[in-house]
Amino acid sequence: MRNACFAILVLMLFCFGRHAVAQTAPAATSPAATTMPATTAPVERSAVVIGLSGTVDNYNRDTLKKRFEEARELGAHTVILEVDTYGGAVTAALDISRFLKQQNDLHTIAFVSEKAISAGVMIAMAADELVMAPGAMIGDSAPIAMGGGGGMQPLPAAERAKAESPILADFYDSAIRNGYEPLLAEAMVSVGRAVYWVENGQGQRKFVGPDEYKSLKDAGWTDVPGVPVPVDAADTLLTVGTDLAAKLGLAKAVYPSIPAMVADRNLTVIATLQPAFGEKVMGWLSSDALRGVLMVVLMLSLYAALNTPGTGGPEAVAAICLSSLLVVPLLTGYAQWWEVIAILLGLVLIAMEIFVIPGFGIPGITGLVLVLCGLLMTFVPLEPGSAPIFIPSLAGTWQAVQTGLMAIVGAMLASIGLSFWMRRFLPRMPYFSRLILTDVAGGGGVMGTNPTLGNDATAWPTIAARGYAVSDLRPGGVAKFHDDAVGTERTVNVVSDSGFVSAGSAIAVHEVGGNRVVVRPVGGTA
């Protein structure tokens, strides 16, 4: 069984890995790339388009770096980064920003097709040029989250300064490098910074703060026509559409599409590298909704594996679900190694409690806490400058904690409800009835709820009744006891409180409650 589960897990990761790295193959053979012969254009006019969409995380950060290497191998001089994202992990965005600024042998153009919000605009401004399509939007890059009522959750001054410091430094560096107004860049990150745009009679224009704005107005300067006054208020984060971004100098140019831009600049696109199948699967698996579903399936699989004898199917499903819940957050940067270790250690402690130590005490409770805490933290990204183990300080991080709690609690409630449904209806379904032992060869009874002899009769089997295990108890399984009322042996679902009990072992009833029969081995065989 263990070998089968391991083989399934390895096969799943191998197949996924093949798709995930498909985009790194040479563009001439990659299904993710459409390639033209490099000889159709001079090297200084050759361009490669790389797509960056969805949530920004460690996985698409690493993929982006590989695609840049592929563009370089193809002989590209220009890389057009097509950006369409609401943002994501700050640490991944900072890494991508620094990476773009180090591409001295490539000219980088960030083409914002629809949106570059939060981490997206940080990446776009790090490119050599920021170009926008009509109707696109950029801005809103503060490390804050929206509360349940729709308002922003402010941070105390010290926590805000810690969170904003690396982001502000990156935006300022991008502004100086690429010719953007630093005040506008900072206004995308920090609430409380009002920015005005004024001009004098000689055509000179300046972006200024509130104090300088007042003095310049007194000196005869006027507001630049056609833009909001102020450009960004103290209680908002700068977020602008294409037209205003072009007026403010944040967008170097406006083109209806990438083909229109390359035609205008006399470039030749030799490859287009869009998200491959592996990235789409990764984005699908990392969604909060699907992770909640995987948790439900994991819990139900563990329930089925522990309470019914089978062929190993529930164990295999549980292994696949657990690997998805751990591997995907590791690749995207939401999980750290300590969280994975905590989950695995917790599972070991729970297994020891079930199979080795009678009852459910400190090891079981500790293991459950480790598993739940580890799963919760896989929803939480690492904060900038934080150690691998940290206490959340950003509102966005607390929002992720809240999302994780909702997913885990919802999965637990759903699994409890579905487990009752499984106990009642699953044995009646044509396919699943073959996976659950309802009849035992050689027995004269039917496995199901524990039978009684009538409203006034004592429940059967009684405490201290002796019988034997028909199937392996792991710890759930099937046992057979003699029923004096009918003069024959009958089978019933039981649970061992002493861990694994092999089929044929003699057992005695230790506890009966409702339809739950708890047994213990008494030595010997049937």
Side-chain angles (χ1 to χ4, degrees):
M1 175 57 225
R2 291 192 296 269
N3 293 336
C5 294
F6 180 76
I8 292 172
L9 177 59
V10 171
L11 179 60
M12 182 191 72
L13 295 177
F14 173 74
C15 294
F16 176 77
R18 289 187 62 188
H19 290 298
V21 301
Q23 68 272 18
T24 65
T29 60
S30 171
T34 302
T35 308
M36 298 177 61
T39 57
T40 59
V43 173
E44 66 273 10
R45 293 297 178 185
S46 60
V48 168
V49 179
I50 298 176
L52 178 63
S53 59
T55 302
V56 176
D57 53 38
N58 288 3
Y59 181 75
N60 55 31
R61 174 202 65 192
D62 297 339
T63 300
L64 182 71
K65 293 180 179 181
K66 294 176 182 178
R67 286 181 175 162
F68 264 78
E69 289 305 313
E70 182 178 348
R72 190 173 280 108
E73 292 172 1
L74 290 169
H77 175 267
T78 299
V79 170
I80 302 170
L81 187 62
E82 186 176 6
V83 181
D84 181 14
T85 177
Y86 280 112
V90 175
T91 51
L94 288 169
D95 290 342
I96 294 174
S97 176
R98 286 191 295 268
F99 174 78
L100 291 177
K101 294 172 186 178
Q102 295 167 356
Q103 306 309 300
N104 298 323
D105 59 331
L106 294 172
H107 182 70
T108 56
I109 303 172
F111 184 90
V112 181
S113 56
E114 291 190 17
K115 56 190 175 294
I117 304 298
S118 191
V121 71
M122 179 193 302
I123 294 169
M125 292 185 67
D128 297 326
E129 295 183 64
L130 194 163
V131 177
M132 298 177 67
M137 184 172 292
I138 61 173
D140 187 3
S141 193
I144 61 176
M146 302 301 293
M152 286 187 295
Q153 298 176 343
L155 292 172
E159 285 79 0
R160 176 179 294 279
K162 176 184 176 182
E164 289 182 351
S165 180
I167 302 174
L168 283 170
D170 186 83
F171 269 85
Y172 181 81
D173 180 68
S174 296
I176 297 301
R177 287 171 56 95
N178 300 321
Y180 304 114
E181 170 55 47
L183 285 178
L184 295 178
E186 293 171 357
M188 294 183 184
V189 180
S190 295
V191 178
R193 304 190 184 210
V195 180
Y196 297 83
W197 197 16
V198 295
E199 63 181 2
N200 59 16
Q202 289 73 42
Q204 184 181 3
R205 291 180 171 182
K206 295 178 63 176
F207 290 97
V208 296
D211 295 339
E212 189 176 359
Y213 174 73
K214 185 177 183 303
S215 62
L216 289 177
K217 290 285 285 186
D218 293 340
W221 288 61
T222 60
D223 297 311
V224 174
V227 299
V229 180
V231 175
D232 180 63
D235 59 348
T236 63
L237 292 166
L238 182 62
T239 306
V240 296
T242 298
D243 294 339
L244 183 55
K247 291 179 181 178
L248 298 176
L250 293 174
K252 301 296 185 181
V254 177
Y255 290 102
S257 63
I258 290 178
M261 181 183 71
V262 298
D264 181 68
R265 299 190 177 198
N266 196 27
L267 298 173
T268 299
V269 176
I270 59 175
T272 298
L273 308 178
Q274 293 296 344
F277 178 76
E279 284 181 276
K280 295 177 182 178
V281 171
M282 180 66 72
W284 183 57
L285 290 175
S286 61
S287 65
D288 293 336
L290 185 61
R291 294 183 67 195
V293 172
L294 287 174
M295 287 185 186
V296 173
V297 176
L298 172 64
M299 294 176 186
L300 290 176
S301 301
L302 292 175
Y303 169 80
L306 292 174
N307 289 278
T308 61
T311 60
E315 291 88 342
V317 172
I320 292 173
C321 290
L322 182 61
S323 65
S324 298
L325 289 170
L326 296 183
V327 172
V328 173
L330 271 177
L331 292 176
T332 56
Y334 278 76
Q336 311 301 315
W337 281 108
W338 74 266
E339 297 161 13
V340 176
I341 294 173
I343 293 172
L344 296 179
L345 179 59
L347 292 174
V348 170
L349 290 175
I350 293 174
M352 289 179 60
E353 189 74 58
I354 293 174
F355 295 107
V356 180
I357 308 172
F360 198 81
I362 295 178
I365 295 174
T366 303
L368 183 61
V369 170
L370 286 173
V371 170
L372 293 179
C373 290
L375 285 174
L376 173 63
M377 292 307 294
T378 61
F379 286 83
V380 182
L382 187 67
E383 292 182 352
S386 298
I389 301 177
F390 67 99
I391 298 176
S393 61
L394 304 182
T397 308
W398 283 113
Q399 185 76 9
V401 172
Q402 180 181 349
T403 300
L405 281 173
M406 292 175 61
I408 292 173
V409 173
M412 293 177 67
L413 294 176
S415 63
I416 291 173
L418 287 172
S419 66
F420 285 110
W421 178 87
M422 288 174 62
R423 289 175 65 102
R424 183 173 181 181
F425 295 105
L426 207 60
R428 304 178 187 176
M429 300 175 66
Y431 172 74
F432 291 99
S433 62
R434 298 196 299 268
L435 300 180
I436 300 177
L437 187 61
T438 56
D439 293 291
V440 181
V446 178
M447 187 185 81
T449 58
N450 298 328
T452 63
L453 300 178
N455 292 335
D456 298 327
T458 303
W460 176 89
T462 59
I463 294 177
R466 294 202 173 200
Y468 63 93
V470 176
S471 66
D472 290 338
L473 307 185
R474 308 183 241 161
V478 183
K480 183 173 287 188
F481 298 90
H482 189 273
D483 188 348
D484 294 333
V486 296
T488 186
E489 291 183 331
R490 299 169 62 188
T491 57
V492 67
N493 281 331
V494 298
V495 177
S496 167
D497 68 354
S498 303
F500 177 83
V501 177
S502 61
S505 299
I507 56 176
V509 177
H510 177 66
E511 177 184 345
V512 178
N515 66 342
R516 177 181 172 86
V517 178
V518 180
V519 298
R520 287 181 179 177
V522 293
T525 57

